[in-house]
Amino acid sequence: MPRRINILGSGAIGGLCAAGAQKSNLPYCCSTRDQRPPLKYVEDMGGQITTLTPLPCNDEKLDNNDLLIVPLKAFQLEHALRHWQSRISPDTAVVLLHNGMGGIELARDSIPHNPVLLATTSHGALKLKADTVKHTGMGSTMLGMAFHHESATVLRTQIQPLMEACIGPVIWRDDMHTALWQKLLINCAINPLTALADVKNGELAHISYRPTLQAICEEVCLTAQACGIFMDADSALEQVLTVIENTANNYSSMHQDIAHKRPTEIDAINGYVVKQAQKKGIDVPVNTQMLLAIKAL
Ligand code: PAF
């Protein structure tokens, strides 16, 4: 009997996970906050619609037969982990799947004994309606341990195939910190610019955006290096351009947050870089400008 997958929230990435679990015939349930309507439909990139039929969620405490996937916004994590702390056993595996940084610290504080994994994805997804998600850009998902756990090897063999089914292809990373910085860089470049200019990701391929993209990449790489993570600005820019191309038709999550007047993840993205840069005495004017401009909207 495979682990039951518990997916939190009703966000676009959670929707992709639910559709993936369903297509692979894995037992899953979706836990939404308050009165929010549950997700019902997920349209794949070929236009085919999966109607979600999750198992009903019950109030039983999750155990080692469960996997809790937390595809929430960075700023929702603290509240969610505090809420779930008492609803999971110390051996329930938890996967945090969000943009930006801060998840490791929160998990260490609130669920220090649990096996916690981090995931970061470059799939594009959009909520078309309260109950409908569309897969808008093919990507991949990096997965690794958030911090040391004695059963890390066993966990990998159990959790990686489940995540592969939910939101694959999955690439296992022993250096998850580097993977997080690489994804952080992509979000620092794409998210604020698309939100400020009110455009789809693909628009950023226009040459007029190149100097800003390059400056963001250089600043993030300098900061990452000061934090002990090697990243090269030229290949970073290439990675950003590849994601722009692969998700050309997608509105970034920050664009959507601004468009729907929701809080953004700017503090966990460019804000995180600005904070780390300040600590290391590095000047990051373009990331600072992005942070202030988004906050001013
Ligand atoms: O936040 C997002 O929108 C996504 O992480 C990405 C990869 C930038 C694609 O839109």
Side-chain angles (χ1 to χ4, degrees), residues 211-238:
T212 315
L213 289 175
Q214 187 155 357
I216 292 174
C217 288
E218 281 166 9
E219 292 179 10
V220 176
C221 287
L222 267 182
T223 313
Q225 277 162 24
C227 294
I229 305 285
F230 179 75
M231 293 206 311
D232 157 69
D234 288 339
S235 35
L237 181 62
E238 260 172 50

Side-chain angles (χ1 to χ4, degrees), residues 13 73 99 120-125 136 183 186-187 190-191 194 201 243 247 250-255 265 269:
I13 296 294
K73 301 276 184 190
N99 280 336
T120 168
T121 190
S122 56
H123 280 283
T136 49
K183 180 65 194 311
I186 286 163
N187 289 127
I190 298 179
N191 294 29
T194 48
N201 294 357
V243 176
T247 62
N250 193 26
Y251 283 111
S252 78
S253 52
M254 196 172 290
H255 175 282
E265 295 177 293
I269 298 179

Side-chain angles (χ1 to χ4, degrees), residues 207-284:
I207 201 71
S208 58
Y209 288 102
R210 209 54 61 88
T212 315
L213 289 175
Q214 187 155 357
I216 292 174
C217 288
E218 281 166 9
E219 292 179 10
V220 176
C221 287
L222 267 182
T223 313
Q225 277 162 24
C227 294
I229 305 285
F230 179 75
M231 293 206 311
D232 157 69
D234 288 339
S235 35
L237 181 62
E238 260 172 50
Q239 277 168 27
V240 168
L241 294 174
T242 305
V243 176
I244 288 173
E245 195 183 318
N246 290 349
T247 62
N249 214 17
N250 193 26
Y251 283 111
S252 78
S253 52
M254 196 172 290
H255 175 282
Q256 288 299 284
D257 289 337
I258 294 290
H260 294 101
K261 302 199 182 334
R262 297 186 299 237
T264 72
E265 295 177 293
I266 194 75
D267 285 327
I269 298 179
N270 304 77
Y272 181 83
V273 172
V274 170
K275 240 189 204 160
Q276 298 306 313
Q278 267 165 2
K279 282 190 205 161
K280 306 285 178 189
I282 298 169
D283 216 16
V284 288

Side-chain angles (χ1 to χ4, degrees), residues 42-50 134-135:
V42 181
E43 187 180 328
D44 71 17
M45 295 206 30
Q48 210 158 4
I49 293 175
T50 301
K134 186 173 161 55
H135 189 186

Side-chain angles (χ1 to χ4, degrees), residues 70-236:
V70 190
L72 299 180
K73 301 276 184 190
F75 55 82
Q76 296 170 323
L77 265 187
E78 191 172 356
H79 180 262
L81 289 181
R82 223 181 300 125
H83 173 78
W84 279 85
Q85 224 171 17
S86 57
R87 298 205 50 211
I88 59 178
S89 316
D91 49 8
T92 307
V94 179
V95 175
L96 304 181
L97 172 51
H98 61 87
N99 280 336
M101 300 298 226
I104 300 180
E105 294 79 1
L106 287 173
R108 257 194 218 285
D109 280 353
S110 50
I111 46 171
H113 304 298
N114 282 78
V116 181
L117 295 93
L118 293 174
T120 168
T121 190
S122 56
H123 280 283
L126 193 64
K127 253 182 118 169
L128 296 179
K129 286 193 275 167
D131 63 358
T132 310
V133 166
K134 186 173 161 55
H135 189 186
T136 49
M138 194 55 200
S140 59
T141 302
M142 307 284 164
L143 182 69
M145 296 304 297
F147 39 79
H148 172 74
H149 192 274
E150 69 231 10
S151 331
T153 316
V154 178
L155 277 161
R156 177 183 170 180
T157 57
Q158 293 178 352
I159 307 300
Q160 188 174 349
L162 298 182
M163 291 304 290
E164 185 75 45
C166 287
I167 189 156
V170 167
I171 299 153
W172 182 265
R173 297 284 296 249
D174 286 319
D175 58 342
M176 202 51 207
H177 288 268
T178 304
L180 288 181
W181 270 95
Q182 287 165 343
K183 180 65 194 311
L184 180 70
L185 174 125
I186 286 163
N187 289 127
C188 281
I190 298 179
N191 294 29
L193 278 177
T194 48
L196 292 168
D198 188 12
V199 292
K200 287 185 173 175
N201 294 357
E203 276 295 306
L204 301 187
H206 194 271
I207 201 71
S208 58
Y209 288 102
R210 209 54 61 88
T212 315
L213 289 175
Q214 187 155 357
I216 292 174
C217 288
E218 281 166 9
E219 292 179 10
V220 176
C221 287
L222 267 182
T223 313
Q225 277 162 24
C227 294
I229 305 285
F230 179 75
M231 293 206 311
D232 157 69
D234 288 339
S235 35

